[in-house]
Each structure stands twice: as structure tokens, then as C-alpha cells.
Amino acid sequence: MYQQIIRELERYARPEKVNILSSFFKTGKGEYGEGDQFIGVSVPDQRIVAKQFKSATFSEVKKLLASKIHEHRLTALLILTYQFASATTKEQEDIVHFYLANATRANNWDLVDCSAGILGKWLLDKERTILYTLAKSANLWERRISIVATHQFIKHKQFEDIFSLAKIHLSDTHDLMHKAVGWMLREVGKQDEKALTTFLEQHINVLPRTTLRYAIERFEETKRMSFLKR
């Protein structure tokens, strides 16, 4: 099935998109996506392929994750998300363990953002120490997983972990983490603007500028400008 997936992705490949994608995902020397390779398959087309081959085994998914080609890895992660959605509790647990064991292969922001929900959904009614372990990882992508996974909690108005993890990440120096934290804080604001405002008031002096801008994006203009001036 692995070779079938590769062939199907190649069928959707658009070589004219490669340079644009390579630039957008920062694949140059010294950039966060250095060395990543593209064949030009759109995300909607990758979703079609992932659904078509969602019965792939962990062994086959792992081969895709080992690829240097971005679309191979993203399709692998999409397969996991589709498997998780229809899995039994035991199967979901196995998927989560597999995902965590291969988390560093979700090595660009879109790969994290399409897949971190697997962990977030699993932890909705469970103990969440693993998120704090990931938050302290030396690996950027594991750190991003720790924060993006909280989106599932936020949807259920569970804010304790996003606020705790956000405080851990305030000292992170990477712009992709500043953006991820700001994004999740903005999601809190959609559910409870007062809770978000209280958090921002408490940490305004240490919030990275990018995090603040993302977090207050939906505030009315006067309130937004008041935070920016501070």
C-alpha cells in the first residue's frame, strides 16, 4: 500500500507549485524547514489520498513519515487523524502512542497543526502531564504540539492547561511558538473574552509582541489598541 500511496500523490503533483511551497514553508539554509522537499500536491488532494488509504498500517505510515517529501509526511499524519476518528478506544490509544513516538517527523508547522488534535482529543478526559513534557522539549515541533493540542480543550471551555502552557512558552524564542500561543489564546477569547483579558492583563509585560497581536486580533479596535500601546 505504501507504493500505492506514493503513486497516487505523484498523480496529483503540480511541479509548478514546488518553488512557491518551498519558499512559503521556509526550506532555505538556516530556516526552520531547511531541506524539506515538495512535489506540489494541494492539501485537499492529500486529504483525498489519505481517506482513500486510511487503512494503512503503522509500518506503512512510518515509511511515509520517514520521507524527505513534505506531502508524504502530511498525508501520513492525515491518515492517522482519519483512523483516530473511527477507532475504538484501544485503537485510539495505539494511534496516540505511535504519534508521540514519531512526533518529530511532524516537522513543519502545518504538519503539527493538522495532527496535534489527535493528542488533544485523546487527553480530553485524561491526565495531561505529557503536554508539559512536550512543552519542555528541545524539539520545536514537540513544543508546538504541546500548545496546539490544547485547542480541543478550549473548544470545551477548559482553559487551565492553555494558560499554564502559555506561561511556560512565554520565554520561548521561536516566532512559530509565539504565533501558536497567540493563536490558542485567541481561541480562548472566542469562548470567553473576559478570561483571555484577565490572562493578558496579568502577563502583558512579558508577552512577546507577536503573541499579543495574535491573541487580541478579535478585540474591538479601542481595546486592541490599548493593549498594543502597553
Side-chain angles (χ1 to χ4, degrees):
M1 186 178 292
Y2 166 73
Q3 290 297 338
Q4 289 178 287
I5 296 170
I6 297 300
R7 286 194 295 271
E8 193 67 8
L9 287 171
E10 289 174 349
R11 191 169 71 84
Y12 284 103
R14 298 293 181 268
E16 67 274 13
K17 294 183 177 181
V18 170
N19 288 339
I20 296 172
L21 291 170
S22 297
S23 175
F24 184 72
F25 287 102
K26 308 295 183 186
T27 63
K29 187 173 179 58
E31 295 181 311
Y32 60 74
E34 181 177 354
D36 209 352
Q37 299 175 15
F38 290 83
I39 57 175
V41 185
S42 70
V43 173
D45 286 342
Q46 288 177 75
R47 290 190 179 278
I48 291 172
V49 176
K51 288 178 181 178
Q52 183 179 347
F53 295 100
K54 67 178 182 179
S55 63
T57 65
F58 284 159
S59 175
E60 291 161 338
V61 171
K62 190 167 185 175
K63 287 181 182 179
L64 290 169
L65 288 173
S67 174
K68 293 181 179 180
I69 295 175
H70 189 99
E71 291 94 338
H72 293 177
R73 302 195 307 283
L74 179 55
T75 300
L77 293 166
L78 289 172
I79 287 171
L80 291 179
T81 66
Y82 293 136
Q83 289 179 345
F84 187 89
S86 59
T88 65
T89 300
K90 178 60 173 66
E91 289 169 341
Q92 287 183 337
E93 183 176 15
D94 291 341
I95 292 168
V96 168
H97 286 317
F98 177 84
Y99 178 66
L100 289 172
N102 295 278
T104 58
R105 298 306 298 160
N107 53 354
N108 214 310
W109 59 264
D110 61 324
L111 304 181
V112 169
D113 296 355
C114 83
S115 62
I118 292 172
L119 182 58
K121 290 174 183 176
W122 175 251
L123 294 176
L124 262 176
D125 58 354
K126 297 176 182 65
E127 195 271 336
R128 299 168 183 176
T129 300
I130 183 59
L131 293 181
Y132 296 86
T133 300
L134 292 172
K136 296 174 183 177
S137 172
N139 182 275
L140 167 63
W141 311 115
E142 290 188 331
R143 299 200 304 277
R144 188 171 172 103
I145 287 171
S146 76
I147 202 76
V148 177
T150 66
H151 196 188
Q152 300 302 318
F153 314 155
I154 295 167
K155 290 177 181 178
H156 290 77
K157 298 187 177 182
Q158 300 176 18
F159 305 141
E160 181 179 352
D161 290 290
I162 175 54
F163 288 149
S164 295
L165 288 160
K167 285 188 281 187
I168 291 173
H169 290 305
L170 289 180
S171 60
D172 202 300
T173 59
H174 205 291
D175 185 59
L176 285 178
M177 289 305 301
H178 298 170
K179 291 176 179 178
V181 173
W183 169 26
M184 288 303 107
L185 290 175
R186 185 176 70 227
E187 293 302 313
V188 171
K190 291 179 183 179
Q191 301 288 339
D192 189 335
E193 187 172 311
K194 183 178 179 180
L196 172 59
T197 301
T198 299
F199 178 85
L200 296 177
E201 292 280 1
Q202 292 172 345
H203 302 284
I204 188 66
N205 293 327
V206 292
L207 279 169
R209 186 76 168 179
T210 299
T211 297
L212 178 62
R213 283 186 175 276
Y214 271 60
I216 63 177
E217 214 171 59
R218 294 172 61 88
F219 283 2
E220 56 89 15
E221 185 66 10
T222 302
K223 183 176 181 180
R224 192 175 66 83
M225 293 307 298
S226 174
F227 271 104
L228 287 174
K229 288 177 181 178
R230 293 164 58 188

